Amino acid sequence: MRGANWVAFEVKNITLTVGGEAYLSAVDACFTPGGFNVLLGPTLSGKTSLLRVLAGLDAPTSGQIVMDGPNQSKVDLTGVAVKKRSIGFVYQQFINYPSMSVFDNIASPLRVMKTPKADIHARVEKIADLLAIGPMLKRKPLELSGGQQQRVALARALVREADLVLLDEPLANLDYKLREELRAELPKLFNQTGSTVVYATTEPEEALLLGGTITLLHEGRTVQAGPTLEVYRTPNSLQSARTFSDPPLNSAPAVCSGGTVQIAGGPTYKDTLGLPDGAYQIGFRAHQLHVKKPSRNALDVSACVAITEITGSESFIHVDLLGQRWTALVHGIHPYSEGDQVTLYLDPADFMVFRQDGSAL
Amino acid sequence: MSTPMTIMRLIKRIRITPTLYILFLMVPLYWLLTMALKTNAEILGGFSLWPANPTLANFKTILTDPSWYGGYINSTIYVALNTVISLVVALPAAYAFSRYRFMGDKHLFFWLLSNRMAPPAVFVLPFFQLYSSIGLFDTHIAVALAHTLFNVPLAVWILEGFMSGIPKEIDETAQIDGYSFSAFFTRIFMPLIGSGIGVAAFFCFMFSWVELLIARTLTSVDAKPIAAVMTRTVSASGLDWGVLAAAGVLTIVPGAIVIWFVRNHIAKGFALGRV
């Protein structure tokens, strides 16, 4: 169903410099309605800065924010006062008006817009039921649990059916169970509104679960943008693969000569990509490093265990070899201890090969 | 239940040390109250722990003589004026200090407090000369304005502390919800720092109510404060002890009432909101 809104937002060449420090450098991104627009990047990558610029809370040093206008025109939003925009914003911390009841908190944006009273009641109750906070409408936000407080904040962002809803790591301060629960609900909630939803997160796993499209940020720059799964499968650079990888990406320098690739200080394999002679970087993900030989072509390397983390169904084995720290994510419990020598297997078919400077081939 | 056990329990429950402490604290107050209820003859006659013939005549003198109750009215007027002016000025100032960074903000903030470090006596002469020359001498607003020199900085410090305890994100959420700044400030922000406003008002009230030097110098007849009235009770017949004591009791009452309202927030106020 298409909402009344259904407008796309675009940031063009946005730069934000605060006190001589570049928070955002020439960021271009497009955010579309109908599905999540995930902003993924580590801490200090500029996610929050970009959200704040999108909301108008911070003015960009240079650049433009543009939204779809009527009849396929574009409206320049740069410099428009925050209160004149149609936005919702949910912070990582649970931000509600402590002196108002939950009902008044959710109703607040509607009241400002002078929505008729009966209408306010209906909409607040509907959204509160959707978010399972219906019975708490008379309470004060601080009397609720963390998860419920964040639901109130989400309800306030949802209720006005704004053109643009910005979520800044909204689940980061919640405990594991609540996070999973809300994460599953969020796409359903927002898909009905027709709002353009931008969701910032530091967790690659969360980005994959939410789907939609993704923009990878690193040190205030866009690294790659596109449909989430596509970006995950075909990173356009070593940096993109690194940003979108948890546990960290395994990588090593390699040299190709005469159709044979030599991983620096390690095994060699036959090149199948038709690489010209030269130096390269190869990368592969943690689940592609095995303790059992996965296929006939798999290479074996011998490594020294640095630390093993066991989550129950899986083990993360961090190993040192060839001057690199690699991580293997393997099923089952593998209680290696520090200093153990292990043989690990990797399949050249899994390798992502980049140029020496980290760019895609 | 045996009697000795009960007595032991009672003693334990009473807690000797605080009881003694409070008793000693109350002695001067008690003495003031008994004096107010005695006649001059009894006060000067000899030592008595409680009034032999309690009388309300002293209070009656004060409440019927305009030169006495006028002092209370004058004090109340300029104290109220001062409290209102101080808060109206300090609220936006404290918000600016709490929310914005600007050049020299920290120095300015400290300088504000340093105003309070100067004794009021320093300012008596300039105030007197200034107010006399612009025709404000002996008006309520003159005293109220003079007291803001001390009260605005203190109110700014207290309010800034309370405001900085409110996350900035609340301001932003209000902007996003579409509130205008004034609507946000009065409807959302001020209720959140309500206790801070109460505490700041209390400190303004208290300073202005007890301050004698400036208030006395800047007034003569029309705006003469109660504290000044009390210092000139030597009449031809000698000192009127009973009436003076009754005036003292009446002077304490408003402060006690105000303290009652802010009693739960006062500690935070003393820490300038930084608890």
Side-chain angles (χ1 to χ4, degrees):
Chain A
M1 187 191 78
R2 276 192 164 213
N5 16 40
W6 202 266
V7 286
F9 288 77
E10 205 179 331
V11 294
K12 291 179 177 170
N13 206 15
I14 290 279
T15 298
L16 178 70
T17 313
V18 180
E21 207 177 322
Y23 285 22
L24 296 171
S25 331
V27 171
D28 288 301
C30 191
F31 305 104
T32 50
F36 274 67
N37 296 275
V38 180
L39 272 182
L40 175 70
T43 331
L44 296 178
S45 60
K47 302 182 302 295
T48 302
S49 303
L50 186 56
L51 289 186
R52 292 179 61 86
V53 166
L54 266 169
L57 293 167
D58 289 335
T61 313
S62 65
Q64 243 191 338
I65 306 147
V66 181
M67 70 178 262
D68 289 349
N71 306 323
Q72 295 175 358
S73 63
K74 297 279 176 189
V75 180
D76 187 358
L77 268 184
T78 330
V80 173
V82 179
K83 64 177 183 199
K84 300 240 168 78
R85 302 184 184 204
S86 169
I87 36 176
F89 201 113
V90 178
Y91 292 89
Q92 180 180 342
Q93 313 89 304
F94 315 135
I95 298 294
N96 294 300
Y97 307 126
S99 55
M100 294 184 186
S101 69
V102 168
F103 182 92
D104 290 337
N105 260 283
I106 303 173
S108 126
L110 299 177
R111 292 225 167 100
V112 179
M113 290 191 293
K114 306 246 186 304
T115 314
K117 240 189 178 146
D119 211 11
I120 292 183
H121 263 269
R123 282 167 77 175
V124 170
E125 268 156 27
K126 187 178 153 223
I127 209 85
D129 286 341
L130 265 178
L131 281 158
I133 44 172
M136 288 108 188
L137 284 177
K138 290 210 174 74
R139 311 249 288 268
K140 292 277 167 69
L142 293 179
E143 296 163 10
L144 307 180
S145 71
Q148 291 166 341
Q149 288 184 43
Q150 195 64 323
R151 282 164 189 269
V152 176
L154 281 164
R156 198 181 40 236
L158 273 164
V159 77
R160 71 185 281 188
E161 292 170 2
D163 293 342
L164 180 61
V165 176
L166 306 163
L167 310 170
D168 189 6
E169 301 184 46
L171 308 181
N173 283 10
L174 294 174
D175 68 66
Y176 176 70
K177 200 80 214 148
L178 277 172
R179 199 181 325 171
E180 287 204 329
E181 204 179 295
L182 259 179
R183 186 160 53 206
E185 290 171 28
L186 279 178
K188 284 184 234 153
L189 288 170
F190 281 101
N191 285 344
Q192 296 170 7
T193 62
S195 307
T196 296
V197 185
V198 185
Y199 186 109
T201 178
T202 52
E203 294 172 37
E205 192 192 332
E206 192 162 86
L208 284 165
L209 285 168
L210 290 170
T213 56
I214 196 166
T215 304
L216 296 182
L217 282 177
H218 181 74
E219 290 176 351
R221 289 168 198 283
T222 338
V223 178
Q224 191 175 356
T228 304
L229 274 177
E230 197 175 295
V231 171
Y232 182 78
R233 281 212 201 98
T234 52
N236 68 356
S237 63
L238 189 59
Q239 187 57 59
S240 168
R242 281 211 172 111
T243 310
F244 206 164
S245 201
D246 181 47
L249 189 81
N250 299 319
S251 65
V255 174
C256 178
S257 68
T260 305
V261 182
Q262 159 100 50
I263 299 172
T268 56
Y269 68 91
K270 269 261 168 285
D271 168 43
T272 52
L273 299 166
L275 299 172
D277 287 2
Y280 295 91
Q281 298 260 12
I282 58 153
F284 57 97
R285 301 192 192 274
H287 67 268
Q288 293 163 337
L289 188 58
H290 308 271
V291 286
K292 286 188 208 118
K293 196 162 185 167
S295 66
R296 202 163 46 82
N297 292 336
L299 312 172
D300 53 298
V301 287
S302 155
C304 177
V305 174
I307 192 167
T308 311
E309 297 168 284
I310 296 169
T311 64
S313 58
E314 291 168 333
S315 305
F316 294 90
I317 310 163
H318 301 275
V319 295
D320 291 316
L321 77 166
L322 319 174
Q324 311 279 340
R325 166 69 59 91
W326 283 359
T327 305
L329 168 58
V330 291
H331 282 287
I333 295 172
H334 299 267
Y336 295 109
S337 35
E338 189 187 337
D340 285 357
Q341 286 293 325
V342 286
T343 304
L344 297 171
Y345 302 92
L346 49 159
D347 190 338
D350 294 331
F351 289 172
M352 298 178 272
V353 184
F354 303 98
R355 291 205 184 88
Q356 199 178 13
D357 64 5
S359 59
L361 295 169
Chain B
M1 203 187 285
S2 63
T3 322
M5 276 286 284
T6 328
I7 292 172
M8 284 295 286
R9 265 196 208 158
L10 204 67
I11 289 174
K12 261 189 191 159
R13 203 174 291 170
I14 286 175
R15 306 230 179 265
I16 303 277
T17 322
T19 311
L20 277 178
Y21 179 66
I22 288 166
L23 269 179
F24 279 120
L25 275 182
M26 295 308 276
V27 165
L29 282 176
Y30 173 74
W31 213 247
L32 185 72
L33 190 64
T34 53
M35 275 172 78
L37 297 172
K38 288 174 185 173
T39 58
N40 272 336
E42 193 185 348
I43 295 169
L44 297 171
F47 182 82
S48 62
L49 273 178
W50 50 83
N53 305 302
T55 168
L56 289 173
N58 295 324
F59 289 98
K60 204 180 155 202
T61 310
I62 290 173
L63 296 175
T64 50
D65 180 355
S67 72
W68 271 110
Y69 69 72
Y72 285 106
I73 294 172
N74 290 335
S75 287
T76 311
I77 291 174
Y78 73 69
V79 167
L81 267 176
N82 168 265
T83 307
V84 171
I85 295 172
S86 298
L87 287 181
V88 167
V89 172
L91 274 168
Y95 186 80
F97 278 118
S98 147
R99 292 298 195 254
Y100 301 105
R101 298 280 76 89
F102 50 91
M103 205 169 82
D105 54 352
K106 293 212 173 68
H107 299 288
L108 188 62
F109 193 53
F110 183 74
W111 173 79
L112 271 179
L113 199 68
S114 72
N115 270 339
R116 281 199 67 91
M117 294 170 188
V122 172
F123 298 104
V124 164
L125 185 64
F127 272 140
F128 178 75
Q129 212 286 325
L130 177 66
Y131 288 154
S132 301
S133 60
I134 58 173
L136 278 179
F137 180 73
D138 201 18
T139 58
H140 298 110
I141 192 75
V143 185
L145 283 177
H147 284 172
T148 55
L149 181 71
F150 302 92
N151 284 343
V152 168
L154 186 68
V156 170
W157 268 71
I158 293 173
L159 290 172
E160 195 272 346
F162 279 89
M163 287 177 181
S164 294
I166 308 289
K168 213 179 167 204
E169 284 78 7
I170 292 210
D171 308 26
E172 293 170 356
T173 303
Q175 275 187 60
I176 288 165
D177 282 356
Y179 285 93
S180 67
F181 182 78
S182 55
F184 152 72
F185 201 81
T186 50
R187 273 193 263 158
I188 294 172
F189 199 64
M190 278 175 52
L192 292 182
I193 52 157
S195 56
I197 296 175
V199 169
F202 163 76
F203 276 94
C204 293
F205 170 89
M206 240 29 222
F207 174 84
S208 198
W209 185 255
V210 302
E211 201 281 330
L212 171 64
L213 191 64
I214 289 178
R216 193 176 56 185
T217 314
L218 295 180
T219 55
S220 59
V221 183
D222 294 341
K224 196 176 184 67
I226 183 60
V229 177
M230 282 170 67
T231 53
R232 52 102 237 210
T233 41
V234 192
S235 61
S237 57
L239 213 51
D240 201 342
W241 294 94
V243 174
L244 201 51
V249 171
L250 290 178
T251 309
I252 292 174
V253 171
I257 293 172
V258 176
I259 285 193
W260 176 260
F261 282 114
V262 292
R263 66 193 183 284
N264 295 328
H265 311 291
I266 206 85
K268 203 174 172 193
F270 272 112
L272 299 173
R274 283 162 186 78
V275 179

